[in-house]
């Protein structure tokens, strides 16, 4: 009789075809899967991870699996747990950035950072670049911070130092980039901060410089799996080589036809050269597509055939021919949006679930007009990967407060919040404090906490700093005690006067901001509920947020999904709309200028192959682009799709009369916090952690509660924690 374990192994391999099974059960040594869209590459990686664990070759913590997005990582983790039939904590299934950040949380002190280093997002990084440019007296109109920072970023992705950049110098611009790069690096180290590129570069540095670190991680990760390998850049490539160089248990999957990130330094040669790097690599071909109809596959194949130098891949499907691809011409972008949303409405009325529907576009800006119509029609939607939520000022303020509590050296966080909300700390006083901190080589926190020592600071400013830092010290004590992030955040928002200031505004906008902050507290509480009690939760939370904010997720059930074609990579939907098929929009005009047409075509291939059964492509005869009316030509990509695969017509939709924008329902007033008097031995319940008992009461309004669920003991702030007494 088969054991349950054998059953499970059987189950693990049952849903796979022959070559997929070969790949999943490949033993040791390098493995390459170079195959077309929807052929099960990601599925193979997921099953392989489960198989490695299940067959006893590695524990779940000994496999490093790299995915392209946080969302993909989440999905893979869930799938692996399902396949293994148990919970798995501490798996390294994550993006390059998240994995490097996690490695650096442990190893950064070797490079002169503390473990609490801050992660700077794109906007922070640009602000810092601007400051460096100004300090070097460079004209920031001619040499914009964005352009200079892009060059620095590009250099880092290629693992080039400032000196390397200077050696390549051909122009004044590059010379400036070299100098700014130096200043930028110095400042980042001084502030104990890293930008996204640094995460990779520093992770490579630490593995290269310290043999014992490298050996330890090589032993930790007995197997390394990488999805979307065609979009790795040089730094990522190097990091993988360092990790897998000894045991060579590196399995990579990808599709050269889906390489769409060369503008971010991705190097398609990484996948094409894999067999040169590892001449003994096992190579598996997957040819059956399980995602799309034959019509959709034929269209995708017809488009990609126009690229030179593409590796030919035969894809076939058992799904059947399916419906023709609908191609629609509309008057302008508004008619196009009304058409798409009208179709979405029709599908929903027919019983299609919203989450099976996705709308793609080439550039972020195209989403707004579609969003407008969706709001008018009251259809729930989400923008995946948009800078929607985390870019909002109030969210960034709240996170800056938390960042400062974790990292008192962070000047950027400090200057962001010191006078937000207004508390009488002016620009000049702020500069005096930061300059003093630099001169004395102390943290900005310490300088501000003792304002009387700062030269030429007025009496009013000294008072304002003292009051502000008094509040902050109180918060920091609680942060140091490791209270849950949700509670800490609520304390921050109330005690710094942030919520009061917004409430005093009494505007729609301020109300929206308060709703966003409530949502952020919810996010933190969700995080608390799943966090390890032993971990430094604040750091881990901020790290997680910084990475999510950069890219994707915040997925919700039952919403129509909007996203750029780039963000759609790796995903699939029953029903897909791709809008803006006009030359200049898609292919993008910049790509046309720069001879990057083939990459645009690959993006088109990616878009088409996301659809399982229903695909609609649309274009507008005229469109507002960057504020001016443009008359577009139908995209050349449309003409590359054989006529017989399509159903083409010209559509226009009459403007809907009296459409109104419906405002989101106003925030329900939160119930007042319960009075705080706890006694030891009292039974309580916490919204996230469940039932527990009070085991201690500490100064500063802290209650200690042991929770029944996992026996963990946590320190909570009585006033803010969602605790009810039993
Ligand atoms: N052997 C199989 N049996 C049934 N379904 C399968 C099989 N292999 C893959 N699938 C399904 O086909 C779809 C595509 O698989 P997957 O996303 O792994 O493809 P992929 O090669 O990673 O695609 P992409 O190139 O777009 O990333 C998924 O829904 C997956 O579950
Ligand atoms: Mg995939």
């Amino acid at each position: 009789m088969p054991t349950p374990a054998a059953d499970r192994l059987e189950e693990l391999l049952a849903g796979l075809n022959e070559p997929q099974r070969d790949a999943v059960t490949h033993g040791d040594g390098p493995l390459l899967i170079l195959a077309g869209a929807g052929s099960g590459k990601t599925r193979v990686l997921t099953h392989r991870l489960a198989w490695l664990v299940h067959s006893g070759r590695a524990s779940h913590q000994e496999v490093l699996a790299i995915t392209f997005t946080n969302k993909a990582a989440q999905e893979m983790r869930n799938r692996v747990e399902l396949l293994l039939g148990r919970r798995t904590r501490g798996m390294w299934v994550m993006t390059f950035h998240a994995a490097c950040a996690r490695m650096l949380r442990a190893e950064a002190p070797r490079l002169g950072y503390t473990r609490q280093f801050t992660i700077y997002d794109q906007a922070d990084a640009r602000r810092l670049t601007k400051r460096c440019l100004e300090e070097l007296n460079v004209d920031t109109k001619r040499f914009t911070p964005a352009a200079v920072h892009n060059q620095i970023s590009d250099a880092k992705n290629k693992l080039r130092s400032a000196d390397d950049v200077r050696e390549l110098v051909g122009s004044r611009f590059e010379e400036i980039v070299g100098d700014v790069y130096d200043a930028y690096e110095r400042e980042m180290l001084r502030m104990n901060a890293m930008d996204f590129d640094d995460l990779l570069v520093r992770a490579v540095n630490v593995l290269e410089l310290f043999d014992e670190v490298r050996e330890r991680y090589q032993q930790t990760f007995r197997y390394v799996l990488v999805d979307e390998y065609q979009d790795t850049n040089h730094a990522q490539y190097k990091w993988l080589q360092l990790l897998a160089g000894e045991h060579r248990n590196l399995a990579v999957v990808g599709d050269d036809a889906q390489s769409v990130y060369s503008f971010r330094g991705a190097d398609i040669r990484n996948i094409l050269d894999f067999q040169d790097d590892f001449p003994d690599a096992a190579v598996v071909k997957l040819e059956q597509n399980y995602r799309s109809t034959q019509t959709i596959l034929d269209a995708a194949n017809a488009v990609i055939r126009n690229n030179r130098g593409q590796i030919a891949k035969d894809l076939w499907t058992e799904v059947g021919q399916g419906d023709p691809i609908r191609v629609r011409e509309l008057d302008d972008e508004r008619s196009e949006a009304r058409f798409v949303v009208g179709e979405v409405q029709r599908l929903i009325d027919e019983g299609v679930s919203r989450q099976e529907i996705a709308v793609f576009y080439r550039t972020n800006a195209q989403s707004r007009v579609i969003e407008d119509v969706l709001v008018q029609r009251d259809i729930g939607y989400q923008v995946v990967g948009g800078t929607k939520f985390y870019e909002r000022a109030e969210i960034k303020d709240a996170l800056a407060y938390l960042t400062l509590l974790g990292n008192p050296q962070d000047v950027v966080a400090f200057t962001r919040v010191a006078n937000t909300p207004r508390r009488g700390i002016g620009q000049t006083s702020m500069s005096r404090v930061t300059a003093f901190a630099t001169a004395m080589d102390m943290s900005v926190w310490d300088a501000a906490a003792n304002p009387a020592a700062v030269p030429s600071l007025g009496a009013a400013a000294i008072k304002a700093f003292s009051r502000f830092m008094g509040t902050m010290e109180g918060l920091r004590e609680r942060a140091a005690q490791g209270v849950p992030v949700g509670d800490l955040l609520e304390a921050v928002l109330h005690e710094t006067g942030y919520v009061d200031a917004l409430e005093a505004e009494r505007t729609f906008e301020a109300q929206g901001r308060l709703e966003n902050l409530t949502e952020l507290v919810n996010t933190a509480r969700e995080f608390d509920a799943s966090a390890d009690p032993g971990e430094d939760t604040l750091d881990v939370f901020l790290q997680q947020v910084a990475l999510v904010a950069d890219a994707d997720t915040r997925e919700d059930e039952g919403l129509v999904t909007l996203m750029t074609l780039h963000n759609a990579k790796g995903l699939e939907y029953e029903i897909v709309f791709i809008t803006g098929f006009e030359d200049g929009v898609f292919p993008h005009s910049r790509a046309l200028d720069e001879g990057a047409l083939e990459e645009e075509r690959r993006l088109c291939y990616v878009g088409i192959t996301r659809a399982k059964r229903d695909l609609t492509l649309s274009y507008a005869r005229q469109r507002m682009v960057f504020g001016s009316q443009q008359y577009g030509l139908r995209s050349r990509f449309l003409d590359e799709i054989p006529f017989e695969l399509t159903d083409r017509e010209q559509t226009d939709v009459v403007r809907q009369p009296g459409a109104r924008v419906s405002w989101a329902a106003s925030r329900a007033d939160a119930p007042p916090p319960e009075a705080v008097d706890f006694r030891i031995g009292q039974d309580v319940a916490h919204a996230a952690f469940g039932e527990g008992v009070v085991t201690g009461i500490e100064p500063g309004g802290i209650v200690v509660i042991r929770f029944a669920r996992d026996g963990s003991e946590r320190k909570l702030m009585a006033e803010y924690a969602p605790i009810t007494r039993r």
Side-chain angles (χ1 to χ4, degrees):
M1 216 174 105
T3 60
D7 270 354
R8 192 136 270 148
L9 201 58
E10 192 52 38
E11 217 177 286
L12 203 78
L13 301 177
L16 300 170
N17 64 32
E18 187 86 25
Q20 288 177 333
R21 208 174 293 193
D22 291 345
V24 167
T25 59
H26 167 75
D28 286 356
L31 170 68
L32 167 68
I33 303 175
L34 183 59
S39 58
K41 297 183 296 296
T42 302
R43 185 179 172 104
V44 162
L45 277 195
T46 309
H47 283 242
R48 178 161 170 79
L49 204 177
W51 181 83
L52 287 168
V53 175
H54 197 76
S55 62
R57 285 170 186 265
S59 81
H60 67 267
Q61 282 129 333
E62 290 173 331
V63 182
L64 171 68
I66 297 295
T67 60
F68 202 73
T69 63
N70 294 309
K71 183 173 176 221
Q74 189 60 48
E75 273 167 23
M76 190 175 284
R77 275 196 292 268
N78 293 344
R79 292 286 305 160
V80 169
E81 287 192 346
L82 271 178
L83 290 170
L84 289 175
R86 62 180 164 90
R87 302 270 305 167
T88 47
R89 274 189 182 228
M91 276 202 292
W92 286 75
V93 179
M94 48 187 87
T95 62
F96 276 107
H97 285 126
C100 291
R102 187 164 167 194
M103 182 180 272
L104 289 168
R105 285 282 167 219
E107 314 300 338
R110 293 174 188 269
L111 300 173
Y113 298 83
T114 77
R115 292 181 210 281
Q116 288 74 33
F117 63 86
T118 305
I119 301 175
Y120 275 14
D121 67 10
Q122 218 48 10
D124 289 334
R126 278 189 192 163
R127 246 190 310 271
L128 181 62
T129 309
K130 179 153 182 268
R131 231 175 62 204
C132 295
L133 282 163
E134 282 164 358
E135 269 164 27
L136 293 167
N137 288 322
V138 177
D139 178 1
T140 51
K141 294 223 167 54
R142 252 183 87 202
F143 303 102
T144 66
V148 174
H149 182 254
N150 277 349
Q151 289 302 310
I152 295 176
S153 171
D154 190 53
K156 287 183 184 174
N157 284 324
K158 296 187 170 123
L159 293 176
R160 286 191 183 139
S161 67
D163 283 340
D164 296 337
V165 171
R166 260 187 297 261
E167 263 175 39
L168 295 170
V169 161
S171 68
R172 170 94 183 104
F173 180 67
E174 284 157 331
E175 206 174 295
I176 287 170
V177 169
D179 293 347
V180 176
Y181 189 174
D182 260 339
Y184 181 91
E185 294 271 281
R186 254 198 320 272
E187 270 300 283
M188 289 292 268
L189 185 60
R190 207 175 67 76
M191 288 195 293
N192 193 28
M194 299 193 203
D195 62 22
F196 287 124
D197 307 314
D198 289 333
L199 292 175
L200 275 162
V201 176
R202 300 292 166 243
V204 168
N205 292 158
V206 87
L207 292 179
E208 262 182 337
L209 292 171
F210 301 96
D211 295 346
E212 75 275 17
V213 176
R214 186 175 62 252
E215 281 156 21
R216 179 153 42 79
Y217 281 98
Q218 283 172 347
Q219 281 156 18
T220 304
F221 302 131
R222 306 171 61 153
Y223 293 88
V224 179
L225 316 175
V226 190
D227 201 359
E228 307 277 359
Y229 189 69
Q230 77 280 358
D231 277 320
T232 46
N233 63 34
H234 182 67
Q236 292 164 338
Y237 168 84
K238 186 77 197 171
W239 187 71
L240 292 170
Q241 294 290 324
L242 287 163
L243 285 174
E246 284 298 313
H247 55 58
R248 307 169 80 250
N249 292 330
L250 175 63
V252 305
V253 312
D255 178 2
D256 57 319
Q258 295 185 67
S259 157
V260 291
Y261 277 98
S262 70
F263 67 97
R264 267 207 222 155
D267 190 346
I268 196 168
R269 277 175 313 184
N270 289 342
I271 196 161
L272 300 180
D273 292 349
F274 190 81
Q275 282 171 281
D276 295 335
D277 293 335
F278 299 100
D280 56 334
V283 181
V284 173
K285 270 170 92 177
L286 305 176
E287 296 184 328
Q288 180 169 1
N289 171 295
Y290 289 89
R291 180 181 292 148
S292 312
T293 63
Q294 192 64 52
T295 300
I296 290 168
L297 284 185
D298 288 347
N301 289 335
V303 170
I304 203 69
R305 253 199 303 277
N306 293 284
N307 273 6
R308 287 157 303 162
Q310 209 71 59
I311 294 175
K313 283 176 236 86
D314 299 316
L315 278 181
W316 57 276
T317 176
E318 282 175 350
V319 175
Q321 201 59 43
D323 294 332
I325 294 164
R326 288 179 304 167
V327 178
R328 293 290 181 269
E329 177 186 278
L330 287 309
D331 250 0
D332 56 22
E333 75 272 21
R334 283 186 305 279
S335 322
E336 184 186 43
R338 282 194 298 272
F339 161 71
V340 169
V341 176
E343 286 300 289
V344 167
Q345 181 72 64
R346 181 179 62 73
L347 289 158
I348 294 171
D349 292 344
E350 286 172 8
V352 174
S353 148
R354 288 175 178 76
Q355 74 235 38
E356 290 176 10
I357 307 174
V359 183
F360 304 148
Y361 34 82
R362 175 65 182 82
T363 57
N364 266 308
Q366 285 167 255
S367 81
R368 195 196 47 83
V369 36
I370 304 167
E371 290 189 58
D372 284 353
V373 185
L374 285 164
V375 171
Q376 281 169 20
R377 297 276 185 96
D378 211 10
I379 298 175
Y381 73 94
Q382 60 174 346
V383 179
V384 170
T387 43
K388 237 182 142 187
F389 185 78
Y390 286 100
E391 273 299 307
R392 294 172 189 166
E394 65 280 12
I395 301 299
K396 300 198 84 171
D397 290 343
L399 293 172
Y401 270 109
L402 292 180
T403 303
L404 188 58
L405 292 176
N407 180 8
Q409 263 118 284
D410 195 324
V411 181
V412 171
F414 180 83
T415 43
R416 179 164 189 116
V417 300
N419 201 36
T420 316
R422 285 205 186 137
R423 49 174 76 89
I425 295 177
Q427 269 302 331
T428 322
S429 324
M430 202 136 33
S431 313
R432 289 202 172 123
V433 169
T434 51
F436 181 67
T438 312
M440 304 301 286
D441 198 29
M442 67 205 290
S443 75
V444 64
W445 181 293
D446 289 342
N450 187 9
V454 180
S456 55
L457 209 57
I462 291 180
K463 208 164 145 200
F465 272 113
S466 300
R467 198 175 315 129
F468 174 51
M469 292 310 292
T471 310
M472 293 300 284
E473 292 282 9
L475 288 164
R476 192 158 157 220
E477 255 166 54
R478 279 169 282 171
Q481 284 175 325
V483 299
V485 184
D487 300 355
L488 184 67
L489 177 57
E490 245 191 277
V492 163
L493 295 173
H494 285 100
E495 290 173 22
T496 61
Y498 202 96
V499 166
D500 285 348
L502 282 177
E503 277 175 350
E505 278 185 34
R506 298 183 175 282
T507 59
F508 253 122
E509 202 205 353
Q511 194 201 325
R513 292 185 189 280
L514 286 166
E515 285 167 11
N516 290 336
L517 289 169
T518 309
E519 182 57 27
L520 187 64
V521 172
N522 291 341
T523 311
R525 290 212 195 288
E526 276 167 31
F527 166 83
D528 286 330
S530 62
D532 271 342
E535 264 177 338
D536 191 348
T537 47
L538 182 57
D539 286 338
V540 179
F541 175 73
L542 288 170
Q543 170 186 321
Q544 189 171 307
V545 166
L547 296 173
V548 170
D550 179 48
D552 46 354
T553 64
R554 294 193 63 72
E555 199 179 15
D556 232 318
E557 292 297 309
L559 296 175
V560 173
T561 300
L562 270 55
M563 65 174 98
T564 62
L565 286 156
H566 279 96
N567 278 317
K569 199 158 60 94
L571 305 179
E572 58 187 20
Y573 294 88
E574 287 293 327
I575 294 153
V576 168
F577 294 86
I578 310 179
T579 65
F581 263 94
E582 298 130 47
D583 263 21
V585 175
F586 187 36
H588 196 279
S589 51
R590 198 183 48 224
L592 292 176
D593 293 344
E594 293 172 4
L597 183 63
E598 298 217 337
E599 178 141 323
E600 293 289 301
R601 193 175 275 117
R602 291 194 290 269
L603 196 56
C604 185
Y605 175 84
V606 167
I608 292 174
T609 53
R610 299 309 96 196
K612 289 177 160 181
R613 65 178 162 92
D614 194 323
L615 178 63
T616 305
L617 314 177
S618 58
Y619 61 100
R621 276 192 294 272
Q622 51 177 320
R623 172 183 305 268
M624 288 290 276
V625 180
F626 304 123
S628 67
Q629 198 68 242
Q630 292 193 359
Y631 294 86
L633 274 178
R634 188 176 62 211
S635 169
R636 63 193 74 188
F637 298 151
L638 284 179
D639 296 326
E640 293 172 4
I641 300 176
F643 197 82
E644 61 277 15
L645 299 176
T646 61
D647 143 24
R648 300 187 188 220
E649 75 186 47
Q650 207 172 305
T651 317
D652 214 345
V653 180
V654 184
R655 185 183 288 278
Q656 295 289 315
R660 278 183 306 133
V661 175
S662 66
W663 293 101
S666 67
R667 181 174 65 120
D669 278 344
E674 260 192 275
V676 278
D677 53 336
F678 290 97
R679 48 185 175 71
I680 292 179
Q682 190 169 27
D683 288 330
V684 292
H686 182 279
F689 308 131
E691 308 260 319
V693 60
V694 176
T695 56
I697 306 218
E698 292 186 5
I702 303 248
V703 284
V704 188
I705 299 176
R706 191 172 61 238
F707 288 97
R709 194 181 64 183
D710 54 0
S712 66
E713 208 161 69
R714 292 174 194 258
K715 294 185 176 184
L716 304 167
M717 269 182 281
E719 199 181 337
Y720 299 104
I723 313 172
T724 48
R725 277 167 291 145
R726 286 280 139 125

